[in-house]
Structure formats: C-alpha cells, structure tokens
Amino acid sequence: MINIALLGCGRIGQMHAANINAHPRAKLAMVFDSHKPSADNLGKSLGVPVAASADSIFASDNVDAVLIASATETHADFIEQSVAAAKPVLCEKPIDLNLKRVNECAAAIAASPVPVQLGFNRRFDPGHRAARDAMRAGDIGQLHQVVITSRDPEIPPRSYLQSAGGLLRDMTIHDFDLARFMLDDEPTEVFAVAGALIDPALGAELNEIDTAMIILRTADGKQCHINNSRTAVYGYDQRIELLGTTGMVQSNNQKRHELKRYNRKATEISEAYQYFFIERYHEAFMAEVSAFVDCIENGTTPEVSFEDGRRALILAEAAYLSVAEKRMVQVSEIDS
Ligand SMILES: NC(=O)c1ccc[n+]([C@@H]2O[C@H](COP(=O)([O-])OP(=O)(O)OC[C@H]3O[C@@H](n4cnc5c(N)ncnc54)[C@H](O)[C@@H]3O)[C@@H](O)[C@H]2O)c1
C-alpha cells in the first residue's frame, strides 16, 4: 500500500481523499488544510489523522507520497518541498498562475528523480484515451483536426473567479493539455477570441472572460479548435472529435444511464448529462491515482509530467496575448 497524504481539504481535496481511500493499492495517511475545520471535518469523516502542519507531512516516515489539492498559489512551494523531502507528488492543475514562478519551480526540481505528476485528469477518461489510442493506431489515417468542446454547467461565484487566475489559465488549461495529448505534437501558433458574454459585468469588474474560442496549429499544419463556455444551460459538455484522412472518432458526453423516454410531443428524451467534473470524470480521477501509484511502485516516470503543466500554461499565455493583440501568436514568443 502506498501511504498518500493530502494537502488541501476543499472541494477537490475531499474527492481525492475518498478516491485514495477507495483505491486497492493506496491508503490516505493523513490530511492537512490551513483552514483547520476543513481538515478536521475530513479527517473525522474518514477516520484519518490530521497533520499539525504541511511540514509535518513532508517530515513523516508514514507518508510515501503527497497529493496537492490546496489552493493554486500553494502548488509550486508544496511541489518543491515534497521533492526536497523525496516524496512523489501528484499536484492539481495549474502549477501556478505565473509562468516565471513555474520556471523557477522547474529549475528547483530539475535535478531530482522524484516523480511529479500533474493533475490533468481528463487524459485518463476512458473515452478520450480510446480516441487518442485509435488515432495512434492509425484508425483515422493521418490526423488533420482536433475539436474540443468544454463547457461548464454554470458559472462559478465571483469569489472563485476573483482568485482562479482567469478562464484560460484555470479552465482552458485542461483543454490545452488535451490538445497536446490528442495532437500528439506541440502547437506552435495560437489564435483566440474571448469575452464576457454570459456576465458582461465580469469584464469590467474582474477583467475576466467567460466564453472563448481558440485555434491552435502545429508546425506540420495540424489544427485544433477549443471552445469554452462557463455556462451551458443543458449541462457539462465535454466532447472531443479527431478527424483524419480515413475517418473520425468522437469521445462524447456521459449520462447516468441511457434510458430513453417517448411521448406525444417528443422522442428519445434522455437523462441530463452528468452534472460536473466530479461525476463526469470519476473514472478518470480514479485512473489518475492508479497511474500515480504505478509510478511509485514501478519507479517509472509519470505519464503526465510537470513539463505538461508548464506547456499548457505557455499555451494559455499565448492565448491571452492573442486576445489582447487580436492576432495569431507564435508559441515561441512566450516560450523564449
Ligand atoms: N482537475 C480538476 O478538474 C480540478 C477541479 C477543481 C479544482 N482543481 C484545482 O484544485 C485546486 C483546489 O481547488 P478547489 O476547487 O478544491 O478549491 P477549494 O477552495 O474548495 O479548496 C482549496 C483548499 O486549499 C486550502 N488551502 C489554502 N492554502 C493552503 C495551505 N497553505 N495549506 C493547506 N491548505 C491550503 C483551503 O483552505 C481550501 O480548503 C485548485 O488549484 C484548482 O485549480 C482541479
């Protein structure tokens, strides 16, 4: 059993805690949150010890590895501390909102063999992964286009948006990672349009956007289109399409079940989509923990690396520059 300690007992921390506890090869060793009641509640509900500090987790012989699910601004420091303590890390996205800080963190951990896995859970979704496997196996011939639709069911509260770091760094970061995963290549050019269409006051108050369309292109001309909305009234919309010279594959939305209802007014009425990321990506989050445990047990390199987190942030910065300057941006302008 791999003893994993959890840093951060908020929304996603609670989910990770339950997933670790349910995992056959992992055990939740202890939890910590700077907001003590959050840690106490989670520790009590799962019957696991609450650490007195983050430092005591890094120092503990009872902790084999660390899962960082605390607020984004803590990630880079915790990654550095974990690596220095020789504890493998699974860290939620994004590494940090500031590329300079991410580069400093990269330099700080560069010489260490300690595994650092980034929390890009969507790569582990069975449908998304099957699409990529099919593409790699040649099922659709030569890949030309990737289309990623990623829309949230409802816009988060202002309090969240104030510190989330902006749509492209907080939400689209998953899609930038999926774009790289599906293209199996690095985008070299980025063009983006974005605005506050759902809540126009967001733009004025927080300089925030809630709706975006982004085009990416690789050096050999493969194209990717990402479209994001913070509110799709019909639910969490997560679709991926790969078009190649001999066919197309789609990874589609999921429902709780496939029952269809028929009446005088409508046919094929089906369940709503699974509500949000915790429900929709449950299998993916579990597989993400499995991949982390595999790395620790087998001494292998994580499939989703720190560098994947850094590259996704570079694409986010390129997209912001494109929005600001209304032009196609070369990724090399950011990653220089
Ligand atoms: N992979 C995904 O799909 C996904 C989904 C949601 C959130 N996230 C990421 O997970 C992280 C947490 O998001 P959330 O929605 O759970 O937020 P949240 O606000 O619900 O929880 C964050 C927790 O971190 C705690 N915290 C803050 N500073 C701390 C510190 N120094 N030490 C220990 N704990 C500290 C807070 O008290 C809070 O309980 C964010 O980085 C977010 O981007 C990823």
Side-chain angles (χ1 to χ4, degrees), residues 6-16 32-36 38-39 53-54 68-75 78 91-95 97 119-122 160 163-164 169-171 173-174 236 276-278 281 285 288:
L6 176 73
L7 288 164
C9 304
R11 183 172 58 149
I12 204 159
Q14 292 167 29
M15 180 209 74
H16 281 304
F32 174 73
D33 195 296
S34 54
H35 181 247
K36 197 168 180 313
S38 300
S53 65
I68 302 170
S70 44
T72 298
E73 71 263 21
T74 65
H75 293 182
F78 282 156
C91 181
E92 265 307 337
K93 47 56 63 178
I95 300 169
L97 299 172
F120 286 132
N121 55 293
R122 293 182 196 177
Y160 175 91
S163 59
R169 292 185 198 96
D170 173 56
M171 175 174 160
I173 196 121
H174 278 293
Y236 192 39
F276 209 173
F277 60 92
I278 288 180
Y281 285 117
F285 281 116
E288 174 182 77

